[in-house]
Amino acid sequence: MSDRHVSLIDLTLAYGGTIAVPGLTLDIVKGELIALLGPSGCGKTTTMRAIAGLLKPAAGRISIAGRDVTHVPANKRGVGLVFQSYALFPHLSAFENVAFGLRLRHSSETVIRARTEAGLATVGLSALATRRPAELSGGQQQRLALARSLVMEPSVLLLDEPLSNLDARLRLDMRSELQRMQRQTGVTMVFVTHDQAEALALADRVVLMRAGVIEQLGTPADLYSRPATAFAAGFMGFENIFRVEGTSLVSDAGAVPLGFAAGAPILAWRPGGVAVGAGPYAGQVVASSFAGSHREYVLESPLGRIKADVPIERAGAALGETVAFDLPQETVWPLMT
Ligand SMILES: Nc1ncnc2c1ncn2[C@@H]1O[C@H](COP(=O)(O)OP(=O)(O)O)[C@@H](O)[C@H]1O
Ligand SMILES: [Mg+2]
């Protein structure tokens, strides 16, 4: 792969004697937006700190733009870092917050002014340049933190859960903002999130991590439509995941007969793939919530809780009512592990 930009080569990361990431190998392509996705504690931040040069690997190598940077200090790697808490300087204006790194570099006043103004324009904050962080909204502060990193013209920008402090509406705005900035600057972006929807919406490729190991790597479409493991399927919205034993579908709660030949040891259905209103199984509606085009039912069944999305025009069952349902072969996703 000639266009690889950041390579992690058999990278082992540890805190004291505890290994957080054992032997991670990953190539990140120049100009791509890659998302590290996974539950809390799976090693996302640890990996970011290693790329940034803030954590010395216990073993393995890191190369950026063809150069081995394993032993290169953080400030010589051309890597920008934006954390969840953006750590803006409260006593400085937006302009001076963005200019700060350039001043440290002893750039000329002309360069500082030009780059800072361009950076503020990129994130849509030109009009608020004189405000202090406290006079900006959460989203504006987030954009300011981004501008501060962008003006340093990093070749790689690392973003560690940068949107998790924002409310839902702003998060959506910032997603498209980030994508736009990434296309505009061509910077290679590594974006960390524990939010599946965010990773799928933003990234060119998603790295799903589990306990320091890559569980699955692919495009959002790959991961969403073809999760390889029960863990990946669970992360990609398959709420109903069951084991197959003989001709039965089995959960920790119980078992039901399966109506077709399984062909795999684990079967999964998305809530939208569960058919409600007819079928061989029965479940009591224990929760029902309005979700626009459908209702989200939780059915208490012999398999335990089943999540089922029912189109609004067919969602007539009352809370407490028992309904028939099916886990159809047409909507099943088979899993090997
Ligand atoms: N400073 C630290 N000292 C010791 N262990 C740590 C430290 N930071 C993280 N860990 C451990 O390393 C693992 C990975 O953590 P982290 O990379 O922060 O996960 P994530 O960012 O995916 O939530 C976890 O088990 C965590 O407890
Ligand atoms: Mg983290």
Side-chain angles (χ1 to χ4, degrees):
M1 209 167 29
S2 57
D3 55 353
R4 80 170 61 134
H5 189 188
V6 180
S7 293
L8 312 182
I9 304 140
D10 208 9
L11 198 61
T12 295
L13 306 172
Y15 296 98
T18 312
I19 292 177
V21 174
L24 182 71
T25 294
L26 175 65
D27 284 322
I28 299 168
V29 176
K30 183 151 186 58
E32 86 171 325
L33 202 170
I34 199 161
L36 304 186
L37 171 69
S40 178
C42 74
K44 305 181 297 295
T45 295
T46 301
T47 303
M48 295 288 257
R49 294 185 64 220
I51 299 173
L54 302 175
L55 178 70
K56 194 173 137 48
R61 290 186 298 117
I62 300 173
S63 88
I64 297 178
R67 180 169 71 126
D68 189 321
V69 298
T70 313
H71 302 290
V72 172
N75 60 356
K76 299 270 187 313
R77 289 190 183 192
V79 172
L81 193 56
V82 178
F83 279 116
Q84 178 179 342
S85 57
Y86 355 105
L88 296 167
F89 299 112
H91 57 291
L92 295 182
S93 66
F95 184 95
E96 286 305 327
N97 263 283
V98 175
F100 188 82
L102 297 170
R103 291 204 191 286
L104 275 187
R105 265 192 202 166
H106 304 294
S107 303
S108 76
E109 197 56 38
T110 319
V111 168
I112 291 174
R113 178 148 297 276
R115 282 232 225 143
T116 302
E117 280 171 359
L120 287 167
T122 302
V123 298
L125 288 179
S126 300
L128 306 179
T130 58
R131 292 211 190 161
R132 294 183 180 189
E135 298 164 326
L136 298 173
S137 72
Q140 289 164 343
Q141 290 181 37
Q142 183 62 72
R143 272 146 55 195
L144 189 57
L146 269 170
R148 188 178 53 175
S149 286
L150 283 172
V151 293
M152 304 305 284
E153 299 184 343
S155 74
V156 184
L157 187 57
L158 308 176
L159 302 136
D160 193 350
E161 311 232 10
L163 309 186
S164 56
N165 283 343
L166 305 181
D167 65 39
R169 174 73 233 167
L170 263 175
R171 267 213 305 275
L172 288 181
D173 289 349
M174 281 304 296
R175 274 187 202 167
S176 38
E177 190 78 0
L178 273 174
Q179 278 183 317
R180 191 186 59 71
M181 272 190 276
Q182 196 256 345
R183 303 283 179 262
Q184 186 184 317
T185 59
V187 65
T188 302
M189 272 194 194
V190 187
F191 181 94
V192 160
T193 180
H194 60 269
D195 179 343
Q196 169 261 134
E198 195 161 279
L200 295 180
L202 262 174
D204 297 313
R205 289 192 302 157
V206 176
V207 182
L208 178 62
M209 291 179 69
R210 176 192 196 182
V213 175
I214 296 178
E215 179 85 358
Q216 192 170 353
L217 167 60
T219 64
D222 283 339
L223 258 83
Y224 187 79
S225 29
R226 290 180 293 281
T229 63
F231 176 83
F235 237 88
M236 292 299 140
F238 283 88
E239 300 273 358
N240 310 296
I241 303 175
F242 306 107
R243 300 188 299 279
V244 175
E245 288 177 14
T247 56
S248 294
L249 210 49
V250 179
S251 74
D252 292 340
V256 296
L258 181 62
F260 56 91
I266 302 171
L267 300 180
W269 285 266
R270 287 205 158 84
V274 178
V276 173
Y281 314 125
Q284 189 187 23
V285 180
V286 293
S288 166
S289 41
F290 177 71
S293 61
H294 61 273
R295 288 195 82 89
E296 297 174 355
Y297 281 174
V298 178
L299 306 176
E300 192 63 54
S301 80
L303 284 171
R305 301 208 150 195
I306 302 280
K307 291 212 177 150
D309 291 349
V310 183
I312 206 79
E313 61 279 7
R314 287 199 277 115
L319 218 53
E321 197 175 316
T322 295
V323 295
F325 73 94
D326 194 10
L327 298 168
Q329 184 168 16
E330 295 72 50
T331 54
V332 73
W333 182 251
L335 293 162
M336 298 315 287
T337 55

